Amino acid sequence: MNKNDQDLDALIAAEAEHSERVYEAEQQGLELPMRTDTVVTRGHARTRVLQVRLNDDELTMLEARAERAGIPVSTLARSILLGQAGDITAAVEEALRHTL
């Protein structure tokens, strides 16, 4: 077994042990403190994911508009879907509506 395999095995074992501790704590109604290497990237309750299929042209248009607005593509798409897009071009909005 090489060094990479040993490192991977050690990581998997550590993650499995942590998962077991979390599961046991949850069963007892307890919360474990976050690990020191945990990074929280979002502080909101959006936990559901919607997958939308776009063709290359639609995605390119959406990405370009998001870049011009200085926001992530997913933020722009959510704004369009929720009707909060403001000055979004009709072509991008139509592409998303057609996809849904």
Side-chain angles (χ1 to χ4, degrees), residues 1-13:
M1 181 179 290
N2 66 33
K3 171 94 168 90
N4 288 338
D5 288 342
Q6 291 172 342
D7 291 347
L8 183 57
D9 286 347
L11 177 62
I12 291 170

Side-chain angles (χ1 to χ4, degrees), residues 17-60:
E17 182 181 326
H18 176 72
S19 293
E20 298 245 348
R21 285 196 316 268
V22 169
Y23 176 77
E24 289 171 5
E26 287 175 349
Q27 295 302 309
Q28 298 173 17
L30 305 172
E31 281 190 39
L32 290 176
M34 276 197 264
R35 293 172 27 168
T36 57
D37 61 341
T38 300
V39 177
V40 177
T41 59
R42 305 263 183 194
H44 55 72
R46 287 191 175 112
T47 60
R48 304 297 302 225
V49 174
L50 170 68
Q51 292 184 357
V52 178
R53 295 184 188 276
L54 303 173
N55 66 34
D56 289 341
D57 292 338
E58 293 166 339
L59 182 58
T60 298

